[in-house]
Amino acid sequence: AQSVSQHNHHVILSEAASLELGCNYSYGGTVNLFWYVQYPGQHLQLLLKYFSGDPLVKGIKGFEAEFIKSKFSFNLRKPSVQWSDTAEYFCAARYSGGYQKVTFGTGTKLQVIP
Amino acid sequence: KAGVTQTPRYLIKTRGQQVTLSCSPISGHRSVSWYQQTPGQGLQFLFEYFSETQRNKGNFPGRFSGRQFSNSRSEMNVSTLELGDSALYLCASSPGLLTDTQYFGPGTRLTVL
């Protein structure tokens, strides 16, 4: 079955630390990949997405992600986190071929300590 | 442009009852998806509608059903509620079926007692 794995369930960082959240997907075919963020009390919103082309994708608020097809990975990175980045981050994949649903990972809660 | 709206925002029901949740997509969006969000399971896909037709369905029992109207508004219904149905139910809309950026609503928090 198609799946998305996020291995870090809870991450605690100090401000200015670098961030990398892991995401792995299971499907070997064409896949569209997303990172969503849910700030406390707010809606889920799109951080960035990869459909094709340059595997290094830049999103909002200084986030970026790299698609590595050989590793089935789409890790999220930010060089220097801020307290305002405290949120839950979800990786998601939509596998191509017909009408395919979006599959979400279980999420990573990031807590940034001032 | 107004975002995705969901009503009601909070709901308390008892086991055995049924519930209907409503979602109004962003104007012009024709695809609506529903998700169940729980702390242990994350977001789990329920179903996706496009042009009043269910295009995809997740692995949920038949107690979970939905529909979409001609104005793209969608409803989901859960019959014979169980304690485990307590969750945040999220609706997301996108312009087209294969246009993959989804815009999420605030969710309906359902508590089953």
Side-chain angles (χ1 to χ4, degrees):
Chain A
Q2 297 156 352
S3 64
V4 175
S5 300
Q6 292 182 247
H7 304 295
N8 312 107
H9 298 296
H10 196 176
V11 173
I12 302 174
L13 294 173
S14 298
E15 273 191 317
S18 63
L19 169 73
E20 181 159 3
L21 300 182
C23 172
N24 289 94
Y25 61 95
S26 63
Y27 183 62
T30 303
V31 63
N32 302 140
L33 296 160
F34 311 84
W35 275 99
Y36 284 87
V37 61
Q38 191 170 33
Y39 297 103
Q42 295 189 27
H43 306 185
L44 265 171
Q45 56 183 284
L46 183 69
L47 264 182
L48 49 78
K49 61 185 178 184
Y50 172 80
F51 284 4
S52 63
D54 189 344
L56 185 61
V57 180
K58 293 194 185 298
I60 61 171
K61 304 188 181 187
F63 286 91
E64 64 178 32
E66 186 174 12
F67 169 59
I68 303 179
K69 190 173 182 179
S70 61
K71 295 184 178 179
F72 299 90
S73 71
F74 189 57
N75 293 353
L76 181 70
R77 299 195 294 245
K78 186 171 184 178
S80 175
V81 295
Q82 302 172 313
W83 176 79
S84 58
D85 294 324
T86 294
E88 190 161 15
Y89 293 81
F90 293 90
C91 182
R94 186 162 189 151
Y95 301 96
S96 69
Y99 301 125
Q100 296 296 327
K101 63 175 182 162
V102 178
T103 300
F104 280 81
T106 51
T108 297
K109 287 187 179 175
L110 171 66
Q111 184 180 354
V112 180
I113 302 169
Chain B
K1 209 181 247 192
V4 177
T5 57
Q6 292 185 245
T7 57
R9 293 292 311 280
Y10 301 92
L11 208 47
I12 299 175
K13 292 286 188 179
T14 56
R15 278 180 299 176
Q17 287 187 307
Q18 75 163 19
V19 66
T20 299
L21 311 181
S22 181
C23 171
S24 293
I26 292 171
S27 177
H29 285 195
R30 297 171 63 193
S31 174
V32 173
S33 296
W34 288 90
Y35 295 87
Q36 182 193 67
Q37 185 178 15
T38 56
Q41 300 294 321
L43 278 91
Q44 292 189 285
F45 173 79
L46 279 156
F47 20 68
E48 180 175 21
Y49 286 89
F50 181 81
S51 294
E52 302 177 66
T53 302
Q54 187 180 90
R55 301 291 183 166
N56 259 304
K57 191 177 191 308
N59 297 324
F60 279 82
R63 301 185 296 107
F64 291 81
S65 62
R67 58 178 176 168
Q68 188 180 33
F69 302 96
S70 58
N71 62 358
S72 294
R73 191 176 69 84
S74 177
E75 288 181 346
M76 68 162 280
N77 184 76
V78 188
S79 62
T80 320
L81 284 166
E82 300 177 0
L83 295 179
D85 297 333
S86 294
L88 181 67
Y89 289 88
L90 294 172
C91 168
S93 77
S94 60
L97 187 59
L98 297 179
T99 304
D100 293 296
T101 299
Q102 294 182 307
Y103 298 84
F104 283 82
T108 294
R109 173 75 62 187
L110 172 64
T111 302
V112 182
L113 303 176

